[in-house]
Amino acid sequence: MPELPEVETTRRGLEQRVAGQKITGVIVRDRRLRQPVPRRLPALLTGATIKSLARRGKYLLIDCGGGTLIVHLGMSGRLWLVDEATPALKHDHLDLVLAGGMIVRLRDPRRFGLVLWQRGDPLLHPLLARMGPEPLSREFDGIALYRATRNRSAAIKQVVMDAHVVAGIGNIYANEALFRARINPGIAARRMTRARCTTLVEKIRETLIAAIDAGGSSLRDYVGSNGMAGSFQNNFLVYDRAGKPCFACGTPLRGIRQSQRSTFYCPCCQR
DNA sequence: CGCCAGGCCTGCACGC
DNA sequence: TGCGTGCAGGCCTGGC
């Protein structure tokens, strides 16, 4: 479910309501995520105060003073604030009970998500340490993408989805940005010119910012941290539109598979 | 029933 | 021999 814009929407929604709040209790109902939820989490977090929420790629970094709670939402995860009277349902695996009477709740039916604890600098965690630049940072520019694509025979879409190249570009936004950049998702990354790299970086940024402004995309059961649904799914130009006319030229869009992921593109506009 | 789904880590085989 | 790379598999539930 959540890609970078959805994670960022979650971060913004939660931060303003939980920063400065004390955690009075931690309820772990199911430890079985992609990795087991640390057993000592309640001991570590009870009594701690949430300082701030940051994001690295699709990882949420909840600074709790003595350490950072690192949360990844996987495919079906959702982190949001509920009233303490809200009953926990089947897939509500973790609650952070706050002093103010609210609960930060993690729901993740597919359990591809991750909850980790890191002392010290969270960016040093092995899963984060070798990630590529943030797509919205200055560090990620045409030159950086050009360098990262040299000697890579893999398709540009796969390279752009490689978190070691640039953080947090998922399947939907890779598809959308490539369409906006008029680049065929299947071309070998090494064949990208400098100019096309610059264009693609611009379009990635443009797409992510538009999606964040729309509160993310709501697919299936996704809703933001305040329970409100994002609306960017209404602005998809190619994602999930196989066979439908290209908004630019009318040609039926194609749906193919690349590395077991679905790709959508316009065979006419994207070369 | 089978297939599909927004992620991403791991391990293996391969080629330089 | 040792890497970087590319690919397949696996982790799960739910919806069509």
Side-chain angles (χ1 to χ4, degrees):
Chain A
M1 168 260 297
E3 292 206 29
L4 186 150
E6 293 74 47
V7 176
E8 179 61 17
T9 299
T10 299
R11 188 195 71 76
R12 291 181 185 185
L14 276 182
E15 182 170 49
Q16 56 174 4
R17 299 174 70 191
V18 306
Q21 292 236 32
K22 190 172 175 178
I23 299 169
T24 56
V26 176
I27 302 166
V28 182
R29 295 185 192 82
D30 194 341
R31 299 180 55 226
R32 298 171 304 160
L33 298 184
R34 203 166 78 220
Q35 290 177 33
V37 174
R39 230 176 255 285
R40 58 217 169 90
L41 209 60
L44 289 162
L45 286 174
T46 304
T49 297
I50 297 176
K51 308 279 186 207
S52 61
L53 268 77
R55 180 187 56 72
R56 178 79 172 98
K58 294 176 202 164
Y59 291 86
L60 275 169
L61 311 176
I62 305 176
D63 182 352
C64 298
T68 303
L69 192 65
I70 301 176
V71 178
H72 194 290
L73 300 175
M75 291 272 256
S76 58
R78 161 183 171 185
L79 192 70
W80 82 124
L81 212 49
V82 296
D83 186 83
E84 60 187 347
T86 309
L89 301 182
K90 192 174 176 188
H91 302 293
D92 292 341
H93 307 313
L94 175 72
D95 280 358
L96 305 182
V97 185
L98 304 178
M102 299 293 278
I103 291 172
V104 177
R105 178 163 286 169
L106 175 72
R107 175 178 299 173
D108 185 5
R110 287 177 74 180
R111 289 193 271 117
F112 284 4
L114 209 48
V115 172
L116 304 163
W117 178 255
Q118 172 81 351
R119 274 214 147 70
D121 186 351
L123 301 181
L124 297 181
H125 190 280
L127 292 178
L128 305 185
R130 287 162 52 203
M131 277 179 92
E134 280 296 312
L136 299 177
S137 73
R138 305 183 86 120
E139 205 189 326
F140 181 59
D141 58 13
I143 300 292
L145 183 59
Y146 185 73
R147 286 207 193 104
T149 52
R150 292 314 86 189
N151 298 323
R152 292 202 59 170
S153 59
I156 184 59
K157 176 170 177 253
Q158 286 154 245
V159 172
V160 124
M161 288 177 69
D162 180 347
H164 302 290
V165 171
V166 54
I169 311 297
N171 197 36
I172 291 179
Y173 296 101
N175 277 298
E176 294 295 313
L178 283 161
F179 174 76
R180 290 176 184 230
R182 303 176 64 87
I183 295 168
N184 187 304
I187 67 164
R190 67 200 309 170
R191 292 187 45 227
M192 289 281 287
T193 61
R194 250 170 238 265
R196 298 198 102 191
C197 285
T198 301
T199 304
L200 184 51
V201 166
E202 267 170 31
K203 298 301 175 184
I204 286 171
R205 235 178 235 140
E206 185 184 294
T207 308
L208 293 177
I209 288 170
I212 292 168
D213 287 347
S217 303
S218 301
L219 293 187
R220 299 169 187 93
D221 56 354
Y222 173 79
V223 286
S225 61
N226 57 0
M228 301 291 283
S231 64
F232 194 71
Q233 71 282 2
N234 300 320
N235 300 324
F236 289 166
L237 301 177
V238 290
Y239 184 77
D240 210 18
R241 296 195 64 244
K244 297 188 175 146
C246 170
F247 288 126
C249 75
T251 303
L253 297 178
R254 280 197 191 147
I256 60 168
R257 283 190 84 74
Q258 289 181 284
S259 296
Q260 302 148 281
R261 308 303 301 274
S262 34
T263 293
F264 304 92
Y265 72 104
C266 174
C268 173
C269 294
Q270 294 171 262
R271 298 267 167 200

